[in-house]
RNA sequence: GCCGGGGUAGCUCAGGGGUAGAGCAACGCACUCGUAAUGCGUAGGCCGCGGGUUCAAAUCCCGCCUCCGGCUCCA
């Protein structure tokens, strides 16, 4: 019997039933067949050699596509598990998926893996690959599978949990066998182990079964796998490039900040150059907030337990707060508990409550660069990205229900403007909606979610819905940016809050002199200033836009006799608010230029005899191959003043 | 917090029971130079902290601190 195979270009080929993706690929061309790793049959990924019995639309999956690499990585995970089970007879294996850029597999073993173990496993994998064992697909009933994996508790747990849409059908599962190794798997796989060309085991780590720290901790081995040695090399180069951008490394090299061990984990000190960077960001933040109708406030770093009781933080957030300190106690009587603030909201609420509020004052936008402390688990601290003390560009907006839609729109436009000013152009948002357990009137939830969605649409920010992911007290928008090397970072948050106005019994007088409860919006644009500067550092690889660069211009005198003129040039620039340094070190011109470039300073001015005579400078701009000599001083200062001007 | 790997000069790293090392940076001297590293010299160390083993510990053992990677990506 013959069947009709529809190819991606729409053409239809006639084949014998029981043909395979591999045969079809071979018919099209030997190069395609060679690159093929799997086939999609009516949208479902199949093994290359699995017989196709009916008419179908197919597409050959080649090894240099993301789908193809997924197959390669998944197969690599199997081969690794096989190697581990060969070497460690008692190992229990759990799950081993393909992930971005690689794969992992989790095992329960007596002793955690050491780097030497990884080497042994890698060698064993090489032997399995040389044997070129074929991956054979099979199906087992649930009972048979339970039997087959009698000694594999994790596999049995998975089998017990399969849904109809995960297994072949409701009561059977698919398995893959190569040589004596059998794994429960949806597939598809490479035709044989010999097709794994380029792989590397990268690290081992503890990982909780199903990601839950209440479950036993398994040993996870991570690896990477690619279609060719060359692709693997490219990947490794990419990692090295990313490592060069690491803000912790650049922070030290550019003398921006450090994390002295004497201070404590997760706490940074800002050096003078980092201080300039930070102040520039903060000044921008204060300036733009003022322009957008925010009122600047300042609040203390601690507050009594009562406040955190009322706000609910002690109930919901206590383990992330620094522990209480008891103050003002005496011999006889107990003291009062104080907590360092993990958030600024209760303080802003107290400012709202400091007197009666009228509808005429709303929306009231209180803004603070508020420094908070959070006791993050020691294992998650990561430079400025995850610190224990940081400063938020935090604001709480108190608005009437009827103002909410406009206010959210205005806010979102503000966010987009700010992020663009820092050089981010690609945004994506998540809109998180009402979870099952929630406070606040259902009507109000629906309205608020609708306003948020409308605001996103109008601002042209693409977004994904995260149903049920909102906090219990209100819906929110999270905004992610994409950095220069394609990574996503969550930056801004806009969180509607129906609970706090209730907790603190907030109200305002309406135009009929009745009392109404305001709605509250928590929002941060840059989020943590520390983290934001970390992200900026990595985005720009330390080469900050001129308005943010701690040193904007370095003046290099060719010889000592030009020092005086160099200083005159610097003074002129200083008058134009340009941050400028004169390098009078006893180095060669080449060395001084190199130092300025390595420090990623945007402008280097070289001055020598001819410049002194003619009132000119030699100007080298960051990112340009060559310098421009003999630039008239007035032209240079004008050009530089323009270059370093902030976006607004 | 849990699992693994680290902590030696300001930085990057070598050394692994018996005298503490290199390169870069710093400092000094010479050179006064026109666009990415001039030469020579000098100084710099509680080998993360505490305890133990030993005739002897940077090195071996124990505890702590701290840094790095992982603990979401569901056969």
């Amino acid at each position: 019997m013959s069947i009709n195979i529809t190819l991606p270009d729409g053409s239809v080929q006639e084949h014998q039933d029981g043909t395979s993706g591999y045969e079809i690929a071979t018919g099209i061309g030997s190069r395609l067949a060679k690159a093929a790793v799997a086939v999609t049959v009516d949208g479902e990924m199949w093994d290359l050699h699995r017989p196709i019995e009916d008419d179908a639309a197919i597409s050959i999956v080649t090894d240099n596509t993301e789908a193809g690499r997924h197959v390669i990585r998944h197969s690599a995970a199997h081969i690794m598990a096989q190697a581990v089970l060969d070497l460690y007879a008692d190992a229990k294996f759990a799950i081993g998926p393909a992930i971005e850029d690689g794969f992992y597999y989790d095992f329960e073993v007596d002793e955690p893996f050491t780097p030497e173990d990884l080497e042994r496993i890698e060698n064993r994998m090489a032997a399995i690959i040389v044997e070129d064992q074929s991956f054979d697909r099979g199906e087992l009933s649930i009972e048979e599978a339970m039997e087959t994996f009698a000694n594999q508790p994790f596999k049995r747990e998975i089998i017990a949990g399969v849904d109809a849409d995960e297994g072949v059908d409701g009561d059977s599962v698919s398995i893959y066998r190569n040589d004596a190794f059998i794994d429960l798997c949806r597939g598809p796989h490479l035709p044989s182990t010999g097709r794994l060309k380029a792989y590397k085991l990268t690290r081992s780590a503890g990982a909780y079964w199903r990601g839950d720290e209440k479950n036993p901790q398994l040993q996870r081995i991570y690896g990477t796998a690619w279609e060719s040695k060359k692709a693997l090399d490219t990947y490794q180069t990419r990692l090295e490039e990313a490592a060069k951008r690491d803000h912790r490394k650049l922070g030290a090299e550019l003398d921006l900040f450090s994390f002295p061990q004497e201070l404590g984990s997760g706490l940074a000190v800002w050096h003078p150059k980092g201080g300039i960077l930070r102040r520039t960001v903060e000044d921008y933040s204060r300036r733009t907030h003022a322009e957008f109708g925010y009122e600047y406030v300042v609040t203390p770093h601690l507050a009594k337990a009562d406040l955190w009781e009322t706000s609910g933080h002690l109930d919901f957030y206590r383990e992330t707060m620094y522990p209480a300190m008891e103050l003002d106690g005496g011999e006889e009587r107990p003291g009062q508990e104080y907590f360092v603030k993990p958030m600024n909201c209760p303080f802003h609420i107290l400012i709202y409550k400091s007197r009666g509020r009228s509808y005429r004052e709303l929306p009231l936008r209180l803004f603070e660069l508020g420094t908070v402390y959070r006791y993050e688990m020691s294992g998650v601290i990561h430079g400025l990205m995850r610190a224990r003390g940081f400063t938020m560009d935090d604001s709480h907006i108190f608005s009437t229900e009827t103002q909410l839609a406009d206010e959210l729109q205005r806010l979102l436009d503000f966010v987009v403007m700010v992020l663009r000013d820092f050089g981010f152009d690609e945004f994506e948002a998540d809109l998180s909606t009402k979870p099952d357990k929630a406070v606040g009137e259902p009507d109000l939830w629906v309205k608020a979610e609708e306003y948020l969605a409308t605001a996103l649409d109008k601002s042209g920010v693409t977004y994904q819905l995260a149903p049920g992911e909102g906090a219990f007290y209100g819906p929110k928008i999270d905004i992610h940016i994409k950095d220069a090397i394609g990574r996503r970072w969550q930056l801004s948050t806009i969180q509607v809050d129906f609970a706090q106005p209730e907790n603190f019994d907030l109200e305002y007088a309406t135009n009929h002199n009745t009392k109404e409860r305001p709605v509250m919006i928590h929002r941060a644009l840059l989020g943590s200033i520390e983290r934001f500067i970390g992200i900026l550092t990595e985005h720009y690889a330390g080469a900050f836009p001129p308005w943010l660069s701690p040193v904007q211009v370095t003046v290099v005198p060719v010889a000592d006799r030009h020092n005086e003129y160099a200083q005159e040039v610097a003074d002129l620039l200083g008058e134009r608010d340009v941050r400028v340094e004169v390098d009078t070190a006893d180095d060669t011109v080449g060395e001084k230029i190199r130092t300025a470039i390595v420090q990623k300073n945007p402008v280097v001015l070289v001055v020598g005899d001819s410049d002194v005579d003619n009132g000119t400078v030699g100007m080298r701009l960051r990112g340009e191959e060559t310098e421009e000599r003999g630039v008239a001083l007035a032209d240079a200062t004008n050009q530089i003043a323009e270059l370093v001007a902030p976006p607004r």
Side-chain angles (χ1 to χ4, degrees):
Chain A
M1 207 181 94
S2 68
I3 55 172
N4 290 322
I5 298 295
T6 309
L7 298 174
D9 64 1
S11 66
V12 178
Q13 293 184 349
E14 203 174 289
H15 283 269
Q16 276 298 311
D17 62 342
T19 186
S20 68
Y22 183 73
E23 285 171 28
I24 297 165
T26 308
I28 296 168
S30 62
R31 281 183 64 167
L32 181 67
K34 207 169 165 220
V37 291
V39 56
T40 61
V41 177
D42 292 329
E44 204 177 298
M45 287 264 271
W46 280 28
D47 296 300
L48 215 47
H49 289 286
R50 183 165 166 188
I52 301 170
E53 307 289 357
D54 299 300
D55 289 358
I58 70 124
S59 148
I60 302 296
V61 178
T62 54
D63 59 11
N64 60 350
T65 60
E66 272 314 299
R69 292 188 189 110
H70 190 90
V71 173
I72 291 170
R73 288 165 189 158
H74 200 174
S75 299
H78 269 235
I79 294 169
M80 179 171 81
Q82 183 179 357
V84 169
L85 264 60
D86 283 352
L87 295 170
Y88 307 87
D90 295 335
K92 309 292 180 215
F93 58 142
I95 58 167
I99 56 173
E100 195 179 343
D101 295 334
F103 60 91
Y104 68 77
Y105 218 114
D106 287 346
F107 304 93
E108 187 180 67
V109 282
D110 296 336
E111 294 288 324
F113 296 110
T114 63
E116 293 72 40
D117 291 330
L118 295 199
E119 219 169 292
R120 286 178 65 206
I121 295 164
E122 219 172 65
N123 291 337
R124 180 69 201 132
M125 287 173 72
I128 294 168
I129 288 164
V130 168
E131 287 172 21
D132 198 22
Q133 305 165 2
S134 67
F135 278 104
D136 298 318
R137 186 175 188 281
E139 288 178 20
L140 295 179
S141 69
I142 299 287
E143 296 76 46
E144 289 168 330
M146 284 296 195
E147 181 83 8
T148 304
F149 294 105
N151 291 322
Q152 292 294 343
F154 300 105
K155 295 297 173 189
R156 289 168 61 91
E157 193 176 324
I158 293 159
I159 295 164
V162 283
D163 299 324
D165 61 327
E166 282 183 309
V168 173
D169 56 47
D171 43 41
S172 68
V173 294
S174 60
I175 54 154
Y176 278 79
R177 178 195 301 273
N178 49 302
D179 200 35
F181 176 75
I182 301 175
D183 196 1
L184 184 68
C185 185
R186 233 185 329 221
H189 278 290
L190 295 171
S192 65
T193 60
R195 290 290 304 276
L196 184 58
K197 301 290 183 207
Y199 63 97
K200 190 103 193 98
L201 300 187
T202 48
R203 55 181 161 260
S204 64
Y208 298 100
W209 169 235
R210 306 211 144 157
D212 188 337
E213 61 185 286
K214 288 191 270 302
N215 287 335
Q217 192 166 43
L218 306 178
Q219 294 302 318
R220 175 171 297 179
I221 301 177
Y222 282 92
T224 186
W226 297 82
E227 69 274 18
S228 64
K229 184 75 175 58
K230 201 175 155 202
L232 175 62
D233 287 346
T234 307
Y235 167 68
Q236 284 174 326
T237 308
R238 200 175 89 211
L239 290 187
E240 284 161 22
E241 290 304 314
K244 281 186 200 158
R245 290 175 177 260
D246 191 312
H247 74 283
R248 293 164 301 187
K249 184 178 158 68
L250 286 167
E253 284 171 5
L254 305 180
D255 200 12
L256 301 176
F257 47 79
S258 59
F259 298 89
Q261 300 213 348
E262 296 86 338
L263 254 191
S265 185
L267 302 168
V269 289
W270 292 79
H271 303 191
K273 283 182 182 161
I276 291 171
L277 181 55
R278 223 190 127 134
R279 199 191 65 217
T280 307
V281 170
E282 290 178 352
D283 285 350
Y284 168 93
S285 180
R286 270 189 284 259
R287 196 162 68 236
T288 50
H289 276 86
E291 278 166 27
F292 275 75
Y294 288 79
E295 299 179 72
Y296 187 72
V297 300
V298 177
T299 68
H301 289 211
L302 5 107
K304 292 192 288 190
D306 269 4
L307 184 68
W308 305 111
E309 295 280 2
T310 308
S311 67
H313 284 94
L314 282 180
D315 269 356
F316 290 98
Y317 208 73
R318 186 167 201 142
E319 68 282 9
T320 313
M321 293 169 68
Y322 274 85
M325 47 195 129
E326 198 177 281
L327 302 176
D328 302 331
E331 294 278 306
E332 300 295 309
R333 62 198 167 82
Q336 180 73 54
E337 279 192 333
Y338 281 74
F339 288 88
V340 176
K341 66 176 171 181
M343 294 189 192
N344 301 302
C345 24
F347 299 82
H348 294 183
I349 289 169
L350 294 181
I351 294 172
Y352 181 94
K353 266 176 83 92
S354 62
R355 60 176 168 80
R357 296 289 175 180
S358 150
Y359 73 97
R360 292 171 191 271
E361 294 180 80
L362 305 187
L364 181 69
R365 307 181 188 96
L366 301 180
F367 167 68
E368 173 174 19
L369 289 166
T371 303
V372 297
Y373 293 86
R374 297 181 184 175
Y375 185 68
E376 300 285 356
M377 283 201 294
S378 63
V380 304
I381 286 165
H382 182 91
L384 294 176
M385 302 299 191
R386 195 91 177 257
R388 281 181 172 167
F390 57 93
T391 301
M392 297 172 73
D393 62 334
D394 202 3
S395 176
H396 295 89
I397 302 171
F398 303 87
S399 102
T400 69
E401 277 179 37
T402 51
Q403 290 167 336
L404 190 58
D406 282 351
E407 190 57 25
L408 290 171
Q409 181 67 58
R410 197 187 146 85
L411 180 48
L412 199 63
D413 291 343
F414 183 29
V415 173
V416 169
M417 178 197 90
V418 167
L419 298 183
R420 281 190 200 285
D421 280 351
F422 282 100
F424 298 108
D425 295 316
E426 284 188 76
F427 316 114
E428 221 171 61
D430 289 334
L431 170 53
S432 301
T433 60
K434 186 168 173 288
D436 294 337
K437 215 184 114 196
V439 301
E441 290 168 46
D443 283 11
L444 200 50
W445 270 89
V446 173
K447 276 193 220 159
E449 288 170 9
E450 191 186 299
Y451 299 155
L452 288 169
T454 307
L456 285 164
D457 286 334
K458 281 196 186 161
S459 305
V461 177
T462 54
Y463 69 95
Q464 292 188 318
L465 214 56
E469 293 291 306
F472 70 89
Y473 50 85
K476 67 167 174 178
I477 293 175
D478 292 318
I479 295 170
H480 298 75
I481 54 101
K482 204 169 181 184
D483 77 6
I485 54 173
R487 294 173 301 183
R488 291 190 176 284
W489 300 94
Q490 189 200 309
L491 279 184
S492 315
T493 308
I494 298 173
Q495 169 80 60
V496 179
D497 188 339
F498 305 128
Q500 292 296 13
E502 200 74 36
N503 292 344
F504 282 91
D505 194 24
L506 299 186
E507 53 184 28
Y508 63 89
T510 67
N511 56 346
H512 303 298
N513 201 24
T514 55
K515 300 291 188 193
E516 290 283 344
R517 200 165 305 292
V519 175
M520 197 172 139
I521 306 167
H522 308 248
R523 42 106 293 174
L525 309 191
L526 309 178
S528 149
I529 303 292
E530 282 78 356
R531 177 167 173 274
F532 182 70
I533 289 178
I535 293 168
L536 275 182
T537 305
E538 302 204 355
H539 176 61
Y540 288 111
F544 298 105
W547 72 284
L548 293 169
S549 285
V551 177
Q552 295 168 319
V553 177
T554 309
V555 186
V556 174
V558 171
D560 290 351
R561 64 178 178 277
H562 310 120
N563 285 359
E564 198 180 324
Y565 178 71
Q567 190 56 52
E568 284 169 29
V569 172
D571 290 345
L572 277 176
L573 287 165
E575 283 167 24
R576 305 286 294 271
D577 292 328
V578 176
R579 296 187 287 265
V580 55
E581 279 182 355
V582 180
D583 188 349
T584 54
D586 189 12
D587 287 324
T588 60
V589 174
E591 173 72 26
K592 287 193 243 189
I593 288 167
R594 180 170 192 277
T595 305
I597 289 173
V598 167
Q599 287 292 303
K600 324 243 183 200
N601 297 341
V603 182
V604 181
L605 299 180
V606 179
V607 294
D609 286 333
S610 73
D611 296 298
V612 175
D613 292 345
N614 303 317
T616 58
V617 295
M619 185 156 69
R620 170 189 272 269
L621 300 177
R622 187 177 64 202
E624 290 185 12
E625 292 287 309
T626 53
E627 75 282 3
E628 193 183 349
R629 300 204 188 179
V631 182
L633 203 43
D635 292 345
T637 46
N638 285 335
Q639 200 180 326
I640 290 166
E642 195 179 326
L643 185 72
V644 304
R648 72 188 68 244

